[in-house]
Amino acid sequence: MTVRPLTFVVGTGRCGSTALSRILRLHPDLLSVSELIASLEPDALPGAPLTGAEFWRILAAPRSFANRVIRDGIPLPEYRYPHVKGGRFSVPGGGIPAVCMMTLPHLTDDPDALFDALEPELSRRPAAPVADHYRALFGLLGERFGGRAVVERSGYSLRSVPRLREVFPEARFVHLHRDGADCALSMSRHPGFRLIQLMTERATSTEDLPAGLAALLSDDEADLRPLYERSVPVAEFGELWSSTIVEGLGHLSRLPAAIRMSLSYEGLLDAPERELTRLAHHLGVEPLPEWLAAGRALLDGDRRGTAAATLPPAELTALRESCAPGTRALSLAHGG
């Protein structure tokens, strides 16, 4: 089986990476794998060798948090499987396999058939490091969907760079980033990031959390809606964005310069052909004219830098102040 070159697109989440995955999927020489690592956490990258059957269980086991979100009717647009027509898996029926939630529907309208086709091929593999099993998975997907190079993109993945580098030493990296205030505002409106922010707050200090929230987080049967519906100042999401950027840039700075690339969402909107050409060269594929045209058509230039500007002045000021550490770190990293 051919081993395909591998690149990880990493970022804070809410930074334009979903749009980028759609663009990458249009290139005939790329296999675009969306949200694979994120969907398999916290078990995505075990350290010890494992059998194919054990690896398949990582892919196939439903994740409690994802299934709770669906059960409680919390709208996460990334969770595509619940919208698949005729899908045989369901939360009441035992849960949705992790790899089916986001990754397989990104590739096909029939994720159940793909799931069934992958199981015997991967389950029978002998014991090996987890990276070898992933390479086999990418090979099987590449045979079906084409692509001589693989790009995996997961949201909120910037903090995973050291582990990804350790497990996949051959991989290249692309850091996709977006204006901090716009990104943080998008986080504040996304149920998943509202829960991430709460868990981050809980990890640093539980004193200010409303009574009972800790219990809701730890009880798999509890309704999560009170957690994501609670009022949170948008500046707190600026702090989440900043801390993720500062930590992530530290990780990226320790990688060889030749294997990492920085890509701005605003740059993509302003000059899509130029930035997609740079990206294609980094990924090791040709910037085909028809692909560049299709990518430009998918990008919405009207979204550049306008979201946060609609906030009341005091709220916008607080948000930009909370984003300042991350903004400075990005500027320094890019020679600003």
Side-chain angles (χ1 to χ4, degrees):
M1 187 175 292
T2 302
V3 176
R4 290 164 168 79
L6 173 62
T7 301
F8 290 102
V9 175
V10 296
T12 59
R14 313 309 297 165
C15 58
S17 59
T18 301
L20 184 60
S21 276
R22 291 197 295 266
I23 293 169
L24 294 171
R25 187 173 58 177
L26 298 176
H27 198 295
D29 292 329
L30 292 175
L31 173 66
S32 173
V33 180
S34 180
E35 302 280 11
L36 177 63
I37 301 300
S39 66
L40 303 180
E41 292 291 15
D43 307 312
L45 300 171
L50 66 165
T51 66
E54 290 168 330
F55 178 66
W56 180 252
R57 283 196 287 274
I58 292 175
L59 299 179
R63 294 304 188 269
S64 171
F65 176 79
N67 285 269
R68 286 178 73 189
V69 164
I70 293 169
R71 180 202 67 194
D72 294 339
I74 299 174
L76 262 70
E78 295 86 352
Y79 289 176
R80 299 178 62 168
Y81 188 87
H83 307 291
V84 170
K85 276 186 143 184
R88 75 173 185 266
F89 300 110
S90 67
V91 172
I96 299 170
V99 74
C100 288
M101 191 68 80
M102 298 180 279
T103 303
L104 299 191
H106 175 73
L107 295 168
T108 175
D109 292 332
D110 191 355
D112 289 356
L114 180 55
F115 181 84
D116 292 340
L118 293 173
E119 179 176 12
E121 297 290 338
L122 294 173
S123 293
R124 69 187 181 205
R125 286 178 47 79
V130 70
D132 288 351
H133 294 297
Y134 278 110
R135 294 182 189 111
L137 169 61
F138 297 148
L140 292 168
L141 294 177
E143 289 172 3
R144 283 176 170 264
F145 301 104
R148 59 182 181 81
V150 181
V151 184
E152 197 280 343
R153 189 276 313 174
S154 286
Y156 198 55
S157 54
L158 198 48
R159 286 172 161 155
S160 301
V161 167
R163 183 66 181 142
L164 292 170
R165 171 67 169 165
E166 180 183 3
V167 174
F168 301 97
E170 78 281 11
R172 302 173 74 83
F173 290 84
V174 174
H175 176 210
L176 180 63
H177 52 89
R178 180 184 179 190
D179 174 79
D182 284 345
C183 191
L185 181 59
S186 181
M187 288 176 172
S188 76
R189 296 169 174 172
H190 188 279
F193 277 92
R194 292 182 69 81
L195 294 171
I196 287 172
Q197 187 278 332
L198 176 60
M199 287 185 279
T200 302
E201 183 182 349
R202 181 191 183 199
T204 55
S205 171
T206 59
E207 294 178 2
D208 297 327
L209 292 183
L213 290 188
L216 288 175
L217 280 171
S218 59
D219 181 0
D220 282 351
E221 299 304 316
D223 188 340
L224 288 172
R225 282 174 292 186
L227 299 183
Y228 92 87
E229 290 172 351
R230 64 193 285 259
S231 177
V232 182
V234 69
E236 295 193 17
F237 293 91
E239 293 172 5
L240 175 63
W241 177 83
S242 272
S243 65
T244 306
I245 285 288
V246 170
E247 179 183 339
L249 287 174
H251 297 322
L252 290 166
S253 70
R254 290 186 279 276
L255 301 179
I259 70 165
R260 54 182 163 90
M261 170 187 169
S262 178
L263 184 64
S264 148
Y265 181 60
E266 289 76 21
L268 268 176
L269 296 178
D270 289 345
E273 289 93 346
R274 181 194 69 199
E275 294 305 283
L276 289 174
T277 296
R278 282 204 311 125
L279 177 61
H281 289 154
H282 185 72
L283 301 177
V285 298
E286 288 298 314
L288 304 173
E290 59 272 25
W291 176 68
L292 295 176
R296 181 182 183 88
L298 281 176
L299 292 166
D300 179 6
D302 291 338
R303 295 172 60 192
R304 187 196 192 284
T306 60
T310 63
L311 292 172
E315 198 172 355
L316 178 58
T317 297
L319 174 58
R320 293 211 178 277
E321 287 177 355
S322 69
C323 291
T327 302
R328 283 194 298 271
L330 275 173
S331 179
L332 289 171
H334 301 145

